[in-house]
């Protein structure tokens, strides 16, 4: 088992760190669990991130654990369903296969999946990516018209992220984590969206820091 402290490059909060340090050894020792993988911005960059993402693959009965902090996001997948979704090219699991950091596994389970699918995962759909862009911007406009400034600002970041992913997918570049997208965009000469996303990410970090200081 690999310590999560050696994998996470930036924690969303001290509370998340303390909880995860206790949770990971516990869930890894559970007899139903086949693999635990950390993924997302927290393990990809040392930039600000709002949460820690964990994937847990189990068999039969899902393990029960105490409530997690709001900034820890756990994706639970039953083993046979996870394997089916990987074969079907489900985007989230494809991302984890490609970019996730293995914390523990039973009998080399996740390592076998990575060897089998690491170079075979289908590329994300350009059509689906474009549909997500349209939905994201539509919701942003609705929130903005309602006058919900905080929700609109957050949705604008979502929309910019979806647009960034769509641009990259259209150029056959596999999108990395959100903080990495601006640099990827500059690599394909999409400078305007790169700058807009970078500014939005910086504004979100500043807003989060202000809230933490006030608390």
């Amino acid at each position: 088992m690999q310590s999560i402290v050696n994998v996470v490059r930036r924690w969303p909060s001290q509370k998340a760190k303390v909880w995860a340090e206790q949770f990971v050894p516990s869930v890894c020792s559970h007899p139903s669990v086949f693999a635990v993988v950390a993924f997302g911005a927290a393990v990809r960059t040392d930039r600000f991130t709002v949460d820690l993402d964990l994937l847990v693959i189990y068999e039969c009965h899902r393990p029960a654990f105490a409530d997690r902090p709001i900034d820890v996001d756990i994706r639970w997948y039953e083993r046979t369903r996870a394997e089916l979704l990987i074969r079907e090219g489900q985007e989230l699991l494809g991302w984890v296969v490609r970019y996730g950091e293995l914390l523990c596994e039973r009998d080399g389970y996740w390592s076998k999946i990575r060897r089998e699918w690491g170079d075979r995962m289908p590329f994300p759909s350009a059509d689906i990516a474009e549909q997500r862009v349209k939905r994201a911007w539509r919701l942003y406009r609705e929130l903005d018209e309602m006058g919900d400034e905080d929700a609109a600002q957050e949705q604008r970041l979502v929309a910019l992220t979806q647009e960034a992913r769509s641009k990259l997918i259209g150029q056959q570049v596999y999108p990395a984590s959100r903080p990495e997208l601006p640099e990827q965009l500059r690599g394909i000469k999409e400078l305007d969206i790169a700058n807009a996303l970078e500014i939005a990410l910086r504004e979100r970090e500043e807003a989060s820091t202000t809230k933490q200081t006030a608390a």
Side-chain angles (χ1 to χ4, degrees), residues 12 33 43 55-56 76 81 93 95 109 135-136 143 155 160 165-166 175-176 179-180 194 197:
V33 171
V43 301
L55 169 74
V56 180
W76 300 89
R81 176 163 173 74
L93 286 172
W95 202 96
Y109 174 77
R135 286 198 301 268
L143 292 169
Q155 183 58 33
L160 287 169
R165 288 176 53 81
S166 179
E180 298 173 275
L197 179 56

Side-chain angles (χ1 to χ4, degrees), residues 14-143:
Q14 182 63 23
K15 185 176 182 179
K17 181 176 184 291
V18 171
W19 188 88
E21 286 180 304
Q22 297 174 348
F23 170 77
V24 171
S26 181
V27 75
C28 283
S29 65
H30 195 283
S32 293
V33 171
F34 274 73
V36 180
V37 186
F39 65 100
V43 301
R44 291 282 299 173
T45 79
D46 57 5
R47 296 280 302 274
F48 169 78
T49 181
V50 295
D51 54 24
L52 168 67
D53 297 299
L54 297 173
L55 169 74
V56 180
I57 296 181
Y58 65 95
E59 188 170 60
C60 297
H61 302 294
R62 171 175 160 174
F65 287 91
D67 292 341
R68 57 177 171 74
I70 193 171
D71 51 1
V72 177
D73 187 9
I74 304 177
R75 309 296 180 97
W76 300 89
Y77 282 92
E78 195 277 329
R79 178 183 178 180
T80 55
R81 176 163 173 74
E83 292 169 1
L84 174 63
L85 292 173
I86 289 171
R87 288 196 298 271
E88 292 177 348
Q90 197 247 33
E91 193 169 335
L92 172 67
L93 286 172
W95 202 96
V96 182
V97 168
R98 182 182 289 256
Y99 291 130
E101 291 285 348
L102 178 64
L103 296 174
C104 65
E105 61 183 342
R106 183 191 301 182
D107 299 328
Y109 174 77
W110 189 255
S111 297
K112 293 174 186 175
I113 286 179
R114 183 169 281 169
R115 284 196 299 271
E116 181 177 0
W117 292 99
D119 297 326
R120 296 172 53 200
M121 291 300 300
F123 207 78
S125 166
D127 289 340
I128 292 176
E130 186 57 32
Q131 291 171 20
R132 289 173 178 167
V133 171
K134 293 177 181 178
R135 286 198 301 268
W137 281 116
R138 182 168 61 248
L139 180 55
Y140 163 73
R141 288 190 293 270
E142 291 173 359
L143 292 169

